[in-house]
Amino acid sequence: AIRMTQSPSSFSASTGDRVTITCRASQDISSYLAWYQQKPGKAPRLLIYTASTLQSGVPPRFSGSGSGTAFTLTITSLQSEDFATYYCLHYYSHPWTFGQGTKVEIK
Amino acid sequence: QVQMVESGGGVVQPGRSLRLSCVASGFTFSSYAIHWVRQAPGKGLEWVAVMSYDGTNKYYAEVLQGRITISRDNSKNTLFLQMNSLREEDTAIYYCARGGATTLLSAFDIWGQGTMVTVSS
């Protein structure tokens, strides 16, 4: 199975900061990579798919990049509603696997 | 609107069975693969199973293989997850999520609110 490793596991940031979360795949997954945001008590929300395509309705301060084995999610100018946990997901092949999550907390 | 609603969760003793349901609305259910994803309390997301739009292909997480069965009734816009021989480590919120139209290689774009399964004696 393909392993997805996110870094960091958590960090603190301030409103207005630019933040970057990294996801690495244990083998080449082309661009079959999605990013999700999850807030406490809520279902995950799709932000990015095919590594860099913004899902409809997601603010443009979110962006994704990468291909192959290395991917990043960037949030420019962090807003209060962005404090949440973020997950990457590969859908290159069975079994689908998520990263372990990155929790973004308020500094 | 487009939505998916899970049901069937609850408290069950170890070794017992449970069947979860996921009812979809607002889109052509029979055109989409649907996944189950679970999340143990305080933990991350774990993919569980998927069934293709027409039911011909199904895949399971290795850790659950042999204890779960995914099925669907396209006439009722409903996906099911039969869970047998439940263990305490199966305690989690179970989400259904929409996959791709006629393909399994797609992100999950629509999620239900989840149904909680608690396995405890």
Side-chain angles (χ1 to χ4, degrees):
Chain A
I2 298 171
R3 297 183 309 279
M4 306 301 293
T5 304
Q6 284 182 238
S7 60
S9 296
S10 65
F11 65 94
S12 299
S14 300
T15 303
D17 285 352
R18 176 187 177 95
V19 302
T20 298
I21 298 168
T22 297
C23 182
R24 292 192 178 274
S26 61
Q27 65 185 70
D28 189 339
I29 59 168
S30 184
S31 296
Y32 291 90
L33 190 283
W35 289 98
Y36 293 86
Q37 176 193 68
Q38 188 180 34
K39 296 181 179 179
K42 300 294 186 181
R45 172 197 181 195
L46 177 65
L47 300 175
I48 303 280
Y49 60 96
T50 56
S52 60
T53 303
L54 198 66
Q55 173 72 346
S56 175
V58 175
R61 62 180 180 273
F62 290 92
S63 65
S65 65
S67 67
T69 62
F71 303 86
T72 60
L73 172 70
T74 300
I75 311 171
T76 58
S77 190
L78 197 67
Q79 302 299 300
S80 58
E81 60 267 32
D82 300 336
F83 292 97
T85 300
Y86 294 84
Y87 295 92
C88 61
L89 164 73
H90 94 77
Y91 50 96
Y92 179 77
S93 63
H94 160 69
W96 292 253
T97 51
F98 292 88
Q100 80 277 17
T102 296
K103 187 173 184 179
V104 180
E105 299 176 296
I106 301 172
K107 183 180 287 184
Chain B
Q1 75 274 26
V2 175
Q3 66 174 358
M4 304 175 75
V5 179
E6 304 91 339
S7 62
V11 180
V12 62
Q13 293 179 325
R16 303 298 289 264
S17 298
L18 211 56
R19 188 173 86 151
L20 307 182
S21 300
C22 167
V23 178
S25 59
F27 65 96
T28 305
F29 179 76
S30 60
S31 294
Y32 289 85
I34 308 291
H35 297 258
W36 286 102
V37 175
R38 69 181 182 179
Q39 186 170 37
K43 302 299 184 182
L45 300 169
E46 179 182 25
W47 175 80
V48 171
V50 63
M51 176 164 269
S52 61
Y53 70 102
D54 59 359
T56 57
N57 292 294
K58 60 184 81 171
Y59 297 97
Y60 301 105
E62 188 173 351
V63 68
L64 291 160
Q65 186 91 33
R67 295 196 295 122
I68 61 171
T69 302
I70 191 171
S71 61
R72 65 191 294 162
D73 183 342
N74 283 347
S75 69
K76 297 181 179 178
N77 292 350
T78 304
L79 179 79
F80 302 100
L81 185 69
Q82 176 69 40
M83 307 173 66
N84 300 324
S85 302
L86 282 161
R87 305 168 181 170
E88 291 188 354
E89 54 265 35
D90 295 321
T91 294
I93 297 172
Y94 285 74
Y95 297 100
C96 59
R98 190 176 78 171
T102 70
T103 175
L104 293 175
L105 303 184
S106 179
F108 314 161
D109 62 346
I110 305 296
W111 295 62
Q113 85 291 347
T115 187
M116 183 70 204
V117 172
T118 302
V119 184
S120 174
S121 54

